[in-house]
């Protein structure tokens, strides 16, 4: 079985991809270089792809900086020390990012004759991003059936979201059970030039909370 996995270089996409591999999928990893300020995540994705032994790792440039509208693709400041309980959508939201990424994955999947996708979205510890919810995933599966030749000819596309109802600590424990090295990952929205995490953005805060609740040390912060 072939699956296109969206591989960002972060903890969640690494875990989701590893779960899919353990489930018997041959992985085709797609990393979108979308003009993000934290380009270190692309290097992390390369390292993860090598460790996972993916069939192919495609890096696709789609420069969303031209659109802007996000702290990750413009000069808008990345918020720090934000209340993670806030219902507000933070400025780190990239307009329609998961829709764009899944559309690109869908195009590649048709070429590969693959009908499965893997994405590490999470509906619990997700920083308020509405394109991480089950409703979005189900809607995109319906779109894929209508928008592609394979779908019209009867293929059923399925988006696998193994983390969608897990807390960050549960995700980390699952990954550790699979023997994953989270020292390969980069979660920070605004790391320093040497790639060290800021420790204060939403992503760093959620990651720290997850490791704390899992009762293990974050390998990025050791040493």
């Amino acid at each position: 079985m072939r699956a296109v996995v969206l591989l960002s270089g972060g903890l969640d996409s690494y875990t989701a991809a590893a779960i899919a591999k353990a489930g018997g999928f041959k992985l085709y990893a797609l990393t979108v270089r979308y003009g993000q300020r934290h380009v270190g995540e692309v290097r992390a994705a390369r390292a993860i792809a090598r460790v996972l032994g993916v069939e192919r790792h495609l890096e696709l440039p789609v420069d969303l900086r031209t659109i802007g509208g996000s702290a990750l693709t413009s000069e808008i400041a990345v918020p720090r020390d934000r209340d993670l309980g806030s219902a507000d959508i933070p400025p780190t939201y990239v307009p329609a990012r998961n829709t764009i990424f899944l559309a690109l994955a869908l195009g590649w999947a048709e070429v590969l004759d693959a009908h499965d996708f893997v994405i590490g979205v999470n509906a619990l510890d997700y920083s308020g991003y509405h394109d991480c919810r089950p409703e979005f995933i189900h809607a995109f599966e319906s779109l894929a059936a209508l928008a592609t030749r394979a779908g019209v000819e009867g293929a059923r596309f399925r988006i696998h979201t193994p983390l969608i109802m897990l807390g960050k600590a549960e995700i980390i424990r699952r990954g550790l059970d699979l023997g994953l090295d989270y020292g390969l990952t980069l979660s920070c929205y605004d790391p320093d030039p040497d790639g060290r995490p800021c420790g204060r953005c939403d992503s760093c805060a959620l990651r720290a909370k997850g490791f704390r609740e899992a009762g293990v040390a974050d390998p990025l912060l050791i040493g």
Side-chain angles (χ1 to χ4, degrees), residues 7 23 30 54 60 85 97 105 113 128 139 151-152 154 173 190 217:
L7 193 65
L30 174 62
V54 303
L60 190 59
R97 180 171 61 179
D113 193 25
V152 170
R173 292 191 193 102
D190 194 21

Side-chain angles (χ1 to χ4, degrees), residues 133-144 159 161 164:
R133 298 174 299 164
E135 299 94 320
F136 168 76
I137 297 299
H138 298 325
F140 197 94
E141 286 178 330
S142 297
L143 179 148
I159 303 174
T161 57
I164 198 159

Side-chain angles (χ1 to χ4, degrees), residues 56-211:
R56 184 181 174 192
H57 183 203
L58 176 63
E59 294 181 21
L60 190 59
V62 180
D63 190 1
L64 297 183
R65 291 186 68 87
T66 305
I67 296 174
S70 168
L72 302 188
T73 58
S74 71
E75 299 309 313
I76 299 171
V78 171
R80 299 190 174 192
D81 306 318
R82 200 174 71 92
D83 177 10
L84 295 181
S86 172
D88 296 336
I89 297 173
T92 47
Y93 164 71
V94 178
R97 180 171 61 179
N98 283 344
T99 304
I100 294 167
F101 287 6
L102 282 171
L104 296 170
L106 180 60
W108 192 25
E110 278 214 281
V111 174
L112 295 171
D113 193 25
H115 303 138
D116 292 273
F117 306 88
V118 181
I119 183 171
V121 293
N122 181 265
L124 299 180
D125 294 332
Y126 71 122
S127 295
Y129 301 154
H130 44 286
D131 55 0
C132 292
R133 298 174 299 164
E135 299 94 320
F136 168 76
I137 297 299
H138 298 325
F140 197 94
E141 286 178 330
S142 297
L143 179 148
L146 295 171
T148 61
R149 182 175 65 186
V152 170
E153 291 176 349
R156 178 176 180 266
F157 291 99
R158 184 178 177 193
I159 303 174
H160 300 265
T161 57
L163 315 182
I164 198 159
M165 297 309 295
L166 300 182
K168 192 68 75 177
E170 293 175 288
I171 294 169
I172 291 168
R173 292 191 193 102
R174 184 71 184 275
L176 294 177
D177 287 343
L178 291 170
L180 304 190
D181 176 10
Y182 285 128
L184 298 176
T185 64
L186 177 65
S187 302
C188 182
Y189 288 146
D190 194 21
D192 70 17
D194 294 324
R196 288 186 293 267
C198 73
R200 296 172 58 194
C201 68
D202 285 6
S203 189
C204 280
L206 286 170
R207 180 176 175 127
K209 177 176 177 286
F211 275 100

